[in-house]
Amino acid sequence: MLFMVQMKVNPPSHLTKEEFDDVKVAEKNRALDIQRKGKWPHLWRVTGKYSNVSIFDVESNQELHELLSSLPLFPYMDIEVTPLNEHPSALKD
Ligand SMILES: O=C(O)C[C@H]1C=CC(=O)O1
């Protein structure tokens, strides 16, 4: 199942810059781990914003929720999930 996921980061005011930098390092490591498992095939920065557009390839809504909530930045992001279906006019491989 493919999902478009849009994540907008809201840096917390209660963490110091150093504390938030540590969260971002942990986030990067977790994001790389999920990508290496093939579950997060696209990750794009939205130009000019602290947000991304991603494609996740997972088995279920539950798996997507578990992956997203495992991200260290999860408490500091607004996340929108859009389920995707194959388009009938899409060129096939
Ligand atoms: O920076 C972001 O867009 C938020 C998050 C998503 C992947 C990652 O490493 O951080």
Side-chain angles (χ1 to χ4, degrees):
M1 301 169 72
L2 293 176
F3 292 88
M4 177 178 71
V5 179
Q6 297 170 275
M7 305 178 213
K8 175 179 173 290
V9 182
N10 305 305
S13 55
H14 67 282
L15 296 184
T16 64
K17 180 188 177 308
E18 291 72 25
E19 288 169 334
F20 191 52
D21 285 346
D22 289 345
V23 176
K24 287 192 284 185
V25 169
E27 173 77 17
K28 181 170 184 173
N29 289 331
R30 181 68 185 128
L32 289 171
D33 181 45
I34 298 169
Q35 288 172 78
R36 288 187 184 112
K37 290 179 175 145
K39 300 287 180 181
W40 192 345
H42 289 275
L43 170 56
W44 297 96
R45 175 64 76 222
V46 178
T47 305
K49 294 186 177 171
Y50 195 178
S51 67
N52 73 72
V53 173
S54 293
I55 301 293
F56 281 76
D57 187 356
V58 293
E59 297 301 317
S60 64
N61 293 0
Q62 180 70 25
E63 184 183 17
L64 179 62
H65 184 76
E66 285 169 10
L67 291 175
L68 293 175
S69 59
S70 76
L71 295 172
L73 277 176
F74 182 74
Y76 313 120
M77 294 196 287
D78 295 325
I79 299 178
E80 277 188 42
V81 174
T82 306
L84 300 176
N85 291 308
E86 194 171 283
H87 195 291
S89 304
L91 192 64
K92 302 277 189 297
D93 290 332

